[in-house]
Amino acid sequence: MIAPVTATELAAGRAQLEFDDNLLLPLLYGARDQHLDRIERQLGVSVVTRGNRLTISGPASASEAAYLALSHLYERLKRGQEVDLPAVEGAIRLAEAELDEGLSLSREESAFRTRKRRIMARSPGQSAYIKALRENELVFALGPAGTGKTYLAVAAAVDLLMNGRVERIILSRPAVEANDMLPADQLARRLGTGEIEVAPIAFMRGRTLSHAFVVLDEAQNTTPVQMKMFLTRLGEASRMVVTGDPTQVDLPVGARSGLAEALETLGRVEGIATVRLTDKDVVRHELVARIVRAYESRENEGRPIER
């Protein structure tokens, strides 16, 4: 349990947390307090520790965000989950979104359970994506590398497979994310039995995919004919997720992207959701987010990258 903080304390820009399990504190603070250092630098607050107590001071909104982030991270450790720097950055983003938008993003609805781990949203965009995956039969997920497009799609697929809501997972292209969510022996067995299938998009022709969770990765490089063929394979009790980065099309010059055409054609069709992730949702490494922003800035200035 964490000692509650009053509204008066938060309004004054000061909050004190008291933890009931000292053994978790080294994991919460990080090696050489690097997790606390990241929170201080990103939110502009001061964090001081003494025993099982932690005091936050700074601007009121920043102190409240730090309080929420640390509370979420501590609860994560209580559930037996790992806390690393990407998790800290994700907790900060979610805390800021809770304050700015009045959202509650740390609930069970913002997570998937797989055999190896519980996978939670690490940004407001990822939370919206998980909500879309739960509520729609077909989801288009767009955004740059590192935003979790394919990772969360596969997490959703494994969650449904483990709960018996689908009978198999089909990945249209090799996706290593499945290795991170199933023990190696289970992954090998399910590949052998056909419960998990990796197949080029051309192998989808003529098939009806029932009771399956189907993921099409790198969809920006499909042609309109391929995309239409793929989407019309959807069968009874199945789900589809189409992921891609519209800015990274590798088709021949002048060729139309099947992803772009599908988005234009199906934008108002009921039962289909489109989620657009941005550099703010990049969770690989903070440097990756800065790299993505730099390239986007270059393209916005009219200096496209030569292919």
Side-chain angles (χ1 to χ4, degrees):
M1 295 289 292
I2 299 174
V5 177
T6 67
T8 301
E9 289 175 312
L10 289 173
R14 185 178 177 84
Q16 187 174 88
L17 291 83
E18 185 173 339
F19 305 101
D20 60 0
D21 189 343
N22 288 356
L23 295 178
L24 296 179
L25 297 187
L27 301 175
L28 178 65
Y29 299 166
R32 298 183 297 279
D33 291 345
Q34 62 177 338
H35 297 166
L36 300 183
D37 179 63
R38 183 62 56 87
I39 290 172
E40 287 181 320
R41 288 191 293 109
Q42 288 197 208
L43 292 175
V45 298
S46 171
V47 179
V48 177
T49 64
R50 176 172 293 181
N52 69 332
R53 294 183 179 181
L54 180 152
T55 302
I56 304 166
S57 58
S61 60
S63 293
E64 187 171 3
Y67 170 80
L68 287 174
L70 284 162
S71 299
H72 294 331
L73 291 168
Y74 184 69
E75 292 304 318
R76 181 183 176 95
L77 288 169
K78 296 274 282 188
R79 291 192 297 266
Q81 295 177 266
E82 179 186 12
V83 167
D84 53 12
L85 282 175
V88 172
E89 292 169 1
I92 293 170
R93 283 194 292 265
L94 291 173
E96 290 177 317
E98 288 190 37
L99 296 175
D100 293 343
E101 304 172 34
L103 301 177
S104 180
L105 302 175
S106 59
R107 300 175 300 177
E108 188 69 23
E109 290 82 355
S110 293
F112 290 119
R113 290 189 179 276
T114 68
R115 188 58 58 88
K116 291 181 67 176
R117 64 184 64 192
R118 185 170 180 264
I119 297 168
M120 297 182 63
R122 290 186 172 180
S123 71
Q126 287 192 354
S127 183
Y129 183 26
I130 289 176
K131 186 174 187 293
L133 289 169
R134 291 190 183 281
E135 297 178 355
N136 298 273
E137 293 178 298
L138 173 59
V139 177
F140 288 93
L142 315 175
T147 51
K149 302 184 301 295
T150 307
Y151 187 83
L152 289 175
V154 175
V158 172
D159 188 321
L160 293 184
L161 182 67
M162 294 291 95
N163 289 310
R165 294 176 58 187
V166 297
E167 297 175 357
R168 54 185 171 149
I169 298 172
I170 300 175
L171 309 175
S172 65
R173 293 182 183 180
V176 299
E177 282 79 0
N179 294 324
D180 200 32
M181 301 167 198
L182 287 172
D185 58 338
Q186 281 202 32
L187 180 62
R189 178 174 60 81
R190 292 178 187 275
L191 284 167
T193 61
E195 287 179 274
I196 297 178
E197 177 184 346
V198 180
I201 192 170
F203 287 19
M204 301 296 175
R205 188 177 303 278
R207 303 174 63 183
T208 299
L209 306 174
S210 301
H211 304 282
F213 197 111
V214 191
V215 180
L216 173 60
D217 199 16
E218 299 292 336
Q220 73 273 7
N221 292 321
T222 62
T223 66
V225 171
Q226 287 176 322
M227 179 63 77
K228 180 181 177 183
M229 179 272 294
F230 177 82
L231 295 176
T232 54
R233 301 306 95 195
L234 185 66
E236 180 184 357
S238 288
R239 300 284 188 95
M240 274 188 176
V241 181
V242 177
T243 71
D245 182 351
T247 69
Q248 299 296 317
V249 177
D250 293 323
L251 294 170
V253 176
R256 176 74 164 158
S257 167
L259 177 59
E261 184 166 293
L263 293 171
E264 291 178 6
T265 305
L266 306 175
R268 297 184 179 181
V269 175
E270 185 178 356
I272 300 176
T274 300
V275 178
R276 300 178 188 276
L277 302 169
T278 70
D279 62 276
K280 294 181 180 179
D281 301 298
V282 173
V283 297
R284 286 178 176 168
H285 190 290
E286 64 175 334
L287 179 58
V288 175
R290 295 200 295 270
I291 291 171
V292 170
R293 286 195 292 270
Y295 275 106
E296 287 181 347
S297 176
R298 175 191 175 96
E299 294 180 358
N300 291 336
E301 293 171 359
R303 297 185 295 145
I305 301 169
E306 295 184 7
R307 298 187 181 277

